[in-house]
Amino acid sequence: SCDQCIQKHPQCAWCSKSNLKFNETKPQTKDFCSRKTSALCDQAFVEMPRSNANFAQNQQFSTREEAVVVQLRPQVIDINLRKGDTVKFNVSFRKVKDYPVDLYYVMDLSNSMKDDLAELQKLGESLATQIRQNVTSDINMGFGTFVDKVMMPFTSTVPDQLINPCAKSKEACAPPFGFRHQQSISGDLTAFKQSVQNTNISGNIDSPEGGFDALMQIAVCGGQIGWRGDASHLVVFTTDASFHTALDGKLAAILDANDMKCHLKRALVYDKSKELDYPSIGQLRAAFVANKIQPIFAVTKEVRSLYDGLKELIPNSFVDELASDSNNIISIIKTAYNKLREKLQMSLDDDNKPEGVGISYRTLCPNATTWSDNSLSCNQIQLGSEVTYEFTVTATACPTTSASNTMLFTSSSLQESVTFRFNFLCNCNCSSMVEQKSIDCSSNGSMVCGACLCDQGHEGSRCQCTQNTIGLSLSAQCKRSDSADICERNGECLCGICDCHENFHGKYCQCSNTGCPVTDGNNCYNQPKCNCTAKINNIPYTLDNVGSCTCHESNCIDPSNPNATVCSSHGNCSCSICECDPKYDGKYCQDCNSPLCKTVTAECSSHEACAICVNSAVQNRENANDKCQVPCKDVTSILAPTPCSQAQSTGQCKVSYNIVIIKFTSKHENCPKPIDPVIIVLPIVAGIVVLGMIALIAWKVYQTWRDKREWQVFENEMKKSKWTKGQNPIFEEASTRFENPTFHGT
């Protein structure tokens, strides 16, 4: 069908013109699906969809004066994918000046932060004014505070301490609380100043604070906090203490995990503080990413290292050291804002990637000369600089489910995103146009995309064939087996009979005419291979690996040697190539690579060095085969053994030897016998054992004598000792005697 055709290969096209004939010599043959269809078919009838990407929404980059800020383009991309086809497109980012910022200032109100609160109250409205001058002109601010859970062991529950936690130090403090949202984000700087001025210090009893509770509520309570949808979301978190995290709540018998939901109810105070555990770092990370919040941790030197580790776990976060009285807070905010704005980490929500879609990408950062493969991050992005992302999308299959076909390309630091909308080109446009009982289909089927879809009981390209009663469909009768192709893909099945293409024949078109030599009547004989009958010197050709009659053993005979045989009688001829026996090589196996193939003359002088080496090895009880490989390398075989003799240079003996096949037999005259190693080794071992035994006996005798002498000295001292006998001067007799009446012992 047309749908199957366009899914077969991205270059396949379908011609829906019903009267098209590709093979003029066989007008009954019709090939609808072909890589040549676009050239042979009128363009109006060609079904060949191509993958493409259309920018459905592509607003230009904006300037700060415009109401809508645009830093990413295009905004919406419609991606049309055909199976196996690929489409490429680019997405660009340009940094805009004075991008709107929402800044929420949340402060630790434990008693150790009273100097910091005083400094913040002194700054008041000027804090926002200086931020506008040093960071961005479009900034809205909000304010909140936190202490800890009002439960032991985090906060004292003594009634007096609940009213004034600073009573012991004779100071006036506000009652403790978990988190309080005091001022929603807005451009009203006077309201921000007034909210800070109305804040009093509080206190608790343990060192870690409940800042994570505050951060979770700031992240998930967007409506109450007042986050704008088109602004960067910054949270300035100031503290001088560490933090409580998940499972710490068990110390106060809080067993329910944090639910990551908003619980700012009464007077905008976190009212689940006593019921839910602190959030984990993972929960806090997820909430920040989902709500595109970038935290700035302004902490004192004592806990800086702890928050540096936290920064590694929370993306787009910043840590800086806070002065003891927070007088450098404006500098921290300015530095953090610039650092966060200089880097950009984009991401794709792979969880929504459609089935059967492959996506690869690369990035060209500002001032970079090469693309970064498989990366979506850039650093040191300046105002007006542009980042380009290139995407390559491929459909490996048509989806089988109706899952979401939409993905987002965005960043946890941007409110903007690019929407990828996927559409799969798995069906032809003509598939919906069906002509029932078409005359072109012999009124036995429907015409769909120029091809016949036959009714039950009919087959054939025009539904002109009626199925028989032998149990096989007409198409099955054109196949050699169930797994074979119809007519071996070398012909068309016409009512159960294969009509073969040119150069093919046989019942199933399985025979190739071009694979056999034309002469001497090579035929297929209804076999799936050639029967080679052509001969040279009365020897027939044989088949090669593709079934053609091209192999002959005459190609395995050395033409330069008139007496040569096939592979020199040292191998087998396999399709005109000699496969040699292990000892032979060469094109015709004419070369012997074994030493046994070589013949030498029996000259004593040429083997003198070998004989001397073998004689020395025998005398020294060494392996002659290993030691004498070099001097004996040319000694192989001779026709008959030849006697030789050679006097040693020392004059002590004469060596006589016979040359035989790689073996030497020698006879020694007047040669001293070598010393047996056993005669040398045994006395040495025996001497060592005897000396060891003597040393042990001497040591034992000495030890016995010494112990006996010390015992005699001890006995003499005991005889000289005099022990006094008398009563203990502090002992007193009992004045009264009591007896247990129930005791019956003796």
Side-chain angles (χ1 to χ4, degrees):
S1 68
C2 182
D3 294 348
Q4 293 172 328
C5 174
I6 65 174
Q7 293 182 37
K8 187 69 175 177
H9 190 277
Q11 298 298 325
C12 287
W14 180 273
C15 184
S16 60
K17 189 174 182 179
S18 60
N19 61 351
L20 179 66
K21 302 293 186 295
F22 279 92
N23 194 332
E24 297 298 334
T25 62
K26 293 183 179 291
Q28 73 274 18
T29 302
K30 169 75 181 297
D31 192 356
F32 291 95
C33 188
S34 172
R35 296 193 186 188
K36 301 179 181 179
T37 301
S38 59
L40 298 176
C41 182
D42 294 339
Q43 197 64 32
F45 295 96
V46 173
E47 291 280 349
M48 190 178 181
R50 306 297 301 178
S51 297
N52 60 83
N54 297 323
F55 296 164
Q57 183 178 344
N58 190 15
Q59 299 181 21
Q60 297 296 319
F61 292 124
S62 64
T63 60
R64 186 59 198 96
E65 291 74 18
E66 298 180 38
V68 179
V69 177
V70 177
Q71 296 184 115
L72 275 174
R73 62 184 297 261
Q75 293 77 41
V76 180
I77 305 176
D78 289 331
I79 306 171
N80 302 305
L81 292 174
R82 179 178 174 179
K83 178 184 173 182
D85 205 2
T86 298
V87 62
K88 288 186 178 183
F89 57 87
N90 291 347
V91 174
S92 300
F93 169 84
R94 180 183 294 173
K95 187 176 178 181
V96 177
K97 182 181 179 181
D98 285 338
Y99 191 79
V101 173
D102 287 347
L103 188 147
Y104 193 88
Y105 196 106
V106 59
M107 181 178 182
D108 175 8
L109 276 191
S110 57
N111 195 39
S112 58
M113 292 286 289
K114 59 184 178 182
D115 292 342
D116 303 83
L117 177 61
E119 180 66 22
L120 184 62
Q121 290 174 334
K122 183 169 63 175
L123 289 173
E125 187 175 339
S126 65
L127 173 65
T129 303
Q130 292 186 51
I131 291 176
R132 283 185 173 178
Q133 294 174 352
N134 293 278
V135 178
T136 177
S137 60
D138 188 357
I139 185 168
N140 288 356
M141 298 185 64
F143 183 68
T145 53
F146 66 90
V147 182
D148 210 339
K149 296 183 183 296
V150 188
M151 300 179 70
M152 287 292 292
F154 313 122
T155 303
S156 175
T157 55
V158 176
D160 292 343
Q161 295 287 320
L162 291 176
I163 298 173
N164 180 11
C166 307
K168 290 185 178 180
S169 59
K170 298 180 181 181
E171 298 180 25
C173 293
F177 56 91
F179 165 65
R180 179 180 293 127
H181 171 51
Q182 298 184 211
Q183 173 63 39
S184 296
I185 294 175
S186 70
D188 188 352
L189 303 185
T190 302
F192 177 83
K193 174 185 176 182
Q194 191 61 41
S195 178
V196 174
Q197 294 296 334
N198 294 337
T199 302
N200 292 323
I201 206 72
S202 184
N204 62 331
I205 58 176
D206 70 337
S207 177
E209 311 296 0
F212 274 19
D213 274 344
L215 289 174
M216 178 59 73
Q217 294 304 299
I218 294 170
V220 299
C221 298
Q224 292 89 331
I225 299 298
W227 296 115
R228 288 182 291 176
D230 60 347
S232 293
H233 299 167
L234 303 181
V235 174
V236 178
F237 181 90
T238 60
T239 184
D240 62 350
S242 59
F243 47 80
H244 282 297
T245 186
L247 301 181
D248 284 357
K250 288 189 174 183
L251 297 173
I254 301 176
L255 304 180
D256 292 337
N258 194 283
D259 60 4
M260 300 178 66
K261 295 180 180 179
C262 181
H263 298 290
L264 292 181
K265 302 293 174 63
R266 300 167 302 182
L268 295 179
V269 174
Y270 178 38
D271 65 350
K272 293 286 185 179
S273 177
K274 296 182 180 180
E275 301 174 25
L276 298 178
D277 196 3
Y278 301 99
S280 67
I281 295 176
Q283 288 179 312
L284 207 58
R285 170 194 171 99
F288 283 170
V289 171
N291 296 281
K292 300 182 182 297
I293 291 175
Q294 304 173 77
I296 302 172
F297 298 105
V299 298
T300 56
K301 180 179 180 180
E302 291 75 17
V303 294
R304 170 70 183 270
S305 60
L306 175 66
Y307 285 87
D308 281 335
L310 183 62
K311 180 185 71 171
E312 301 301 321
L313 303 175
I314 298 179
N316 298 311
S317 58
F318 183 82
V319 177
D320 207 346
E321 190 171 313
L322 186 69
S324 58
D325 59 356
S326 296
N327 60 11
N328 64 334
I329 188 63
I330 295 176
S331 173
I332 291 177
I333 295 174
K334 178 182 177 182
T335 302
Y337 176 78
N338 291 332
K339 290 287 186 182
L340 293 173
R341 287 278 285 165
E342 282 182 357
K343 64 179 182 179
L344 180 63
Q345 176 65 56
M346 302 296 292
S347 63
L348 278 169
D349 57 338
D350 289 334
D351 293 340
N352 290 323
K353 186 172 70 172
E355 176 188 0
V357 172
I359 302 178
S360 61
Y361 44 78
R362 59 179 186 167
T363 304
L364 184 63
C365 296
N367 302 321
T369 57
T370 58
W371 292 83
S372 299
D373 294 333
N374 302 316
S375 172
L376 293 175
S377 63
C378 280
N379 295 317
Q380 298 180 349
I381 303 175
Q382 304 300 322
L383 289 174
S385 59
E386 190 167 323
V387 182
T388 302
Y389 303 94
E390 181 185 85
F391 292 90
T392 302
V393 184
T394 304
T396 58
C398 288
T400 57
T401 61
S402 57
S404 173
N405 289 338
T406 300
M407 291 181 67
L408 290 180
F409 176 59
T410 185
S411 171
S412 59
S413 61
L414 289 179
Q415 299 302 319
E416 301 171 73
S417 63
V418 179
T419 302
F420 294 171
R421 299 189 303 204
F422 295 92
N423 177 43
F424 294 90
L425 307 175
C426 297
N427 304 104
C428 297
N429 294 328
C430 61
S431 297
S432 60
M433 297 180 289
V434 181
E435 182 183 349
Q436 302 286 347
K437 298 296 181 180
S438 173
I439 297 176
D440 292 335
C441 299
S442 307
S443 298
N444 295 323
S446 303
M447 178 66 70
V448 182
C449 294
C452 288
L453 181 63
C454 300
D455 297 336
Q456 187 174 1
H458 296 275
E459 292 187 17
S461 61
R462 300 296 181 185
C463 303
Q464 74 277 23
C465 307
T466 302
Q467 292 179 350
N468 54 30
T469 59
I470 64 175
L472 290 176
S473 67
L474 296 178
S475 60
Q477 296 177 45
C478 294
K479 298 181 353 180
R480 285 191 296 140
S481 63
D482 292 339
S483 60
D485 292 316
I486 295 176
C487 299
E488 298 294 314
R489 293 195 177 188
N490 299 323
E492 306 295 334
C493 184
L494 301 178
C495 298
I497 299 175
C498 285
D499 182 20
C500 300
H501 296 161
E502 186 178 0
N503 296 325
F504 290 94
H505 65 280
K507 181 178 179 180
Y508 304 108
C509 304
Q510 76 276 25
C511 299
S512 171
N513 300 335
T514 58
C516 306
V518 178
T519 60
D520 296 326
N522 293 293
N523 294 309
C524 187
Y525 298 119
N526 290 328
Q527 300 291 328
K529 62 181 181 180
C530 292
N531 182 18
C532 303
T533 57
K535 299 180 180 180
I536 298 179
N537 296 331
N538 207 30
I539 300 175
Y541 279 88
T542 57
L543 295 176
D544 58 18
N545 59 351
V546 295
S548 299
C549 300
T550 61
C551 303
H552 199 274
E553 66 178 28
S554 62
N555 296 322
C556 296
I557 300 175
D558 187 356
S560 63
N561 184 358
N563 299 321
T565 58
V566 176
C567 296
S568 304
S569 299
H570 298 140
N572 298 318
C573 184
S574 176
C575 194
S576 304
I577 298 176
C578 284
E579 294 181 352
C580 301
D581 294 338
K583 298 178 182 179
Y584 296 89
D585 54 24
K587 182 178 180 180
Y588 304 104
C589 304
Q590 73 276 16
D591 299 325
C592 179
N593 55 22
S594 172
L596 297 178
C597 300
K598 300 178 182 179
T599 302
V600 298
T601 57
E603 296 180 1
C604 294
S605 59
S606 61
H607 304 97
E608 177 182 327
C610 178
I612 294 174
C613 178
V614 172
N615 176 68
S616 174
V618 171
Q619 284 189 315
N620 297 326
R621 300 182 185 273
E622 296 175 338
N623 191 328
N625 290 333
D626 294 338
K627 181 178 180 181
C628 303
Q629 286 184 358
V630 175
C632 298
K633 65 179 179 178
D634 295 326
V635 179
T636 53
S637 64
I638 61 174
L639 298 176
T642 301
C644 299
S645 63
Q646 174 65 37
Q648 293 282 52
S649 59
T650 57
Q652 296 178 356
C653 65
K654 181 175 70 174
V655 178
S656 299
Y657 55 92
N658 289 328
I659 305 175
V660 294
I661 298 177
I662 46 178
K663 179 180 180 181
F664 288 84
T665 59
S666 60
K667 180 177 67 176
H668 311 290
E669 299 176 2
N670 301 323
C671 296
K673 294 183 178 180
I675 300 175
D676 191 346
V678 177
I679 299 176
I680 300 175
V681 174
L682 283 179
I684 295 175
V685 173
I688 294 174
V689 172
V690 170
L691 290 176
M693 293 296 295
I694 294 174
L696 286 174
I697 294 172
W699 176 81
K700 184 63 178 177
V701 170
Y702 169 75
Q703 217 39 38
T704 303
W705 171 80
R706 182 181 176 187
D707 291 344
K708 184 176 181 181
R709 189 184 66 174
E710 290 182 354
W711 175 253
Q712 291 176 349
V713 172
F714 172 75
E715 286 185 333
N716 294 333
E717 289 180 351
M718 291 293 294
K719 292 178 181 179
K720 297 178 182 179
S721 299
K722 295 182 179 180
W723 305 96
T724 57
K725 298 181 179 180
Q727 187 173 359
N728 190 339
I730 63 175
F731 174 75
E732 294 183 2
E733 293 286 346
S735 58
T736 307
R737 182 180 178 86
F738 295 92
E739 291 186 2
N740 188 348
T742 62
F743 178 69
H744 300 287
T746 56

